[in-house]
Amino acid sequence: MAKANVTFEDINVTVSVPAGTRVIEVSEKVGAGITYGCREGDCGTCIMKVTKGWDNLSEPSVLEDKVLRENMAGKHNRLACQAQVLGGDISVKPA
């Protein structure tokens, strides 16, 4: 199974995780500063900034895209509860 290296810039920690893992799951385990509410992609609380490896994450769903637009998120923002790692190197930080 493919692995990915996810770096949480706010705490300077890099973790190797299997492909398909949602970023919020890793964030919780390492104590990163990405907060969350619903975990379903509805509330927009877990917006994060992807600073490296944008293409190494799953494509945003229609719901995620809608929530990001409603929250006026920037181009490289994603919902940590929806973004799944695909492989490679990814760096994120709270938005």
Side-chain angles (χ1 to χ4, degrees), residues 1 9 11 29 35 41 43 51 62-63 66 73 78 85 90:
M1 177 176 270
E9 293 181 1
I11 60 172
K29 288 181 181 171
T35 58
C43 72
T51 59
V62 172
L63 174 62
K66 176 182 175 281
R78 292 290 306 271
V85 299
I90 302 159

Side-chain angles (χ1 to χ4, degrees), residues 48-79:
M48 64 180 179
K49 172 105 175 147
V50 180
T51 59
K52 177 182 175 187
W54 175 263
D55 295 335
N56 294 328
L57 294 170
S58 59
E59 289 290 320
S61 67
V62 172
L63 174 62
E64 180 181 2
D65 195 45
K66 176 182 175 281
V67 171
L68 290 170
R69 279 195 321 272
E70 287 173 351
N71 285 280
M72 294 182 273
K75 180 181 177 187
H76 290 287
N77 288 64
R78 292 290 306 271
L79 297 180

Side-chain angles (χ1 to χ4, degrees), residues 8 10 23-24 27-28 31-36 45-49 79-81 92-95:
F8 295 90
D10 60 322
V23 175
I24 196 67
S27 176
E28 288 176 310
I34 299 172
T35 58
Y36 62 92
T45 304
C46 65
I47 294 175
M48 64 180 179
K49 172 105 175 147
L79 297 180
C81 73
V92 300
K93 62 183 179 182

